Amino acid sequence: MIGRFAPSPTGPLHIGNLRTALVAWLSIRQRNGEFLIRFEDLDRANSSLTNEQLQIDELAALGITHSPDVIRQSDRFLLYADVLAELRQRDLLYPCYCSRREIRDAIRAPHGEPTDGVYPGTCRQLSVSQRQERERAGRPPAWRLRTHQERYIVDDGLAGETSVAAVDVVLQRNDGVPAYNLAVVVDDAAQGVTEVVRGDDLLASTGGHIHLQNLLGYPVPDYVHIPLVLGPDGERLAKRHGAVTLEALAEQGVPTRSILRLLGSSLGSRIDGASTAADLLADFSLDHVPRLPWTIPEHWQTVTS
Ligand code: GLU
């Protein structure tokens, strides 16, 4: 059994990232599985080795240990290029010239708010001349997976049985860099990952991932999608919510130990006085993890003990 946590090393981890990492670790370590860290540093501009070390230290401060073989995606571009070449040769990719805004507008039109990961299919059926016209306008294309919105049933460890559609996820960005959706599938397979724990904002992309795994003959891992963590105002947790990292909370006098305990209780643990992640193993169960988003406390001081 192999689990993993795959952060982007673009800054300190926030409470939401740490909570996801804790679930991933508890779930796999409880079964004596291996726990891997993989740095998703495809975004070269904002990633750094300093941030990698910072994140490893933050995880370690909570007692989240990992196997020594940490990999980073920026070392694996050749591998991704091989897979892209295979998919292109099998005519499973098509160029997409849409801007984010065009996608948002097309999706919003009749159905209200767009969902992350959904693509309206605008470029799926472009003729050669329509493609040429866009090329002439100077738009470099991203490359998307050609699907037929096949449906898959995911027996998600938290969301339960969920029907997800294969979406035409982007596999190569329009700056030529391999996209997250490709790298995540290639790396999970290459590393033998059997359980993927991540935020439920990625549930909409999971159909595309499963479709790609099938096309490439990769096994489909178990999925556990965790409801997001919200700020006190009910919005998705972000930097603007202020002190949401271990360091910032420490500056406010909230010790790491208290954060671990609070995260534990937010996951349904009844263990008192945990001082490291391993103390939470005894009663951890996905069955106890709430199915609704968790809102961080407005006044951390009240939870400090
Ligand atoms: N880097 C992604 C995130 O932090 C990880 C996605 C995944 O675990 O597949 O949300």
Side-chain angles (χ1 to χ4, degrees), residues 4 6-8 17 38 40 180 184 188 196-198 201-202:
R4 51 56 157 197
S8 298
N17 308 133
R38 177 169 78 228
E40 300 208 327
Y180 157 74
V184 70
D188 282 337
V196 168
V197 177
R198 60 188 180 193
D201 52 330
L202 286 162

Side-chain angles (χ1 to χ4, degrees), residues 95-97 135 139-143 172-176:
C96 169
Y97 302 87
E135 303 262 329
R139 284 200 184 181
W143 291 81
Q172 185 174 32
R173 301 173 357 182
N174 70 0
D175 57 3

Side-chain angles (χ1 to χ4, degrees), residues 100-259:
R100 271 172 210 245
R101 154 161 294 194
E102 285 164 344
I103 294 173
R104 256 202 324 269
D105 291 350
I107 296 171
R108 188 171 286 136
H111 313 290
E113 279 304 298
T115 318
D116 279 352
V118 169
Y119 178 63
T122 320
C123 291
R124 200 182 285 136
Q125 307 290 0
L126 292 185
S127 65
V128 174
S129 65
Q130 285 171 317
R131 278 187 193 171
Q132 283 167 348
E133 195 181 303
R134 285 163 175 77
E135 303 262 329
R136 271 198 301 276
R139 284 200 184 181
W143 291 81
R144 287 183 184 272
L145 178 65
R146 186 185 295 286
T147 74
H148 300 281
Q149 296 84 57
E150 293 84 349
R151 295 207 78 90
Y152 297 97
I153 303 289
V154 183
D155 191 9
D156 191 279
L158 269 184
E161 275 203 4
T162 311
S163 168
V164 289
V167 282
D168 293 6
V169 282
V170 171
L171 299 186
Q172 185 174 32
R173 301 173 357 182
N174 70 0
D175 57 3
V177 174
Y180 157 74
N181 296 302
L182 176 79
V184 70
V185 165
V186 170
D187 290 341
D188 282 337
Q191 296 193 286
V193 168
T194 57
E195 182 177 79
V196 168
V197 177
R198 60 188 180 193
D200 70 359
D201 52 330
L202 286 162
L203 193 51
S205 306
T206 302
H209 297 170
I210 295 176
H211 191 62
L212 190 53
Q213 285 152 357
N214 289 342
L215 288 170
L216 294 169
Y218 297 164
V220 176
D222 293 336
Y223 283 102
V224 180
H225 284 95
I226 309 184
L228 292 178
V229 174
L230 308 179
D233 57 358
E235 296 293 321
R236 179 179 175 159
L237 193 66
K239 281 200 192 107
R240 67 186 166 74
H241 284 112
V244 292
T245 62
L246 294 186
E247 191 189 3
L249 285 161
E251 275 165 19
Q252 296 201 355
V254 184
T256 301
R257 195 181 60 243
S258 302
I259 298 166

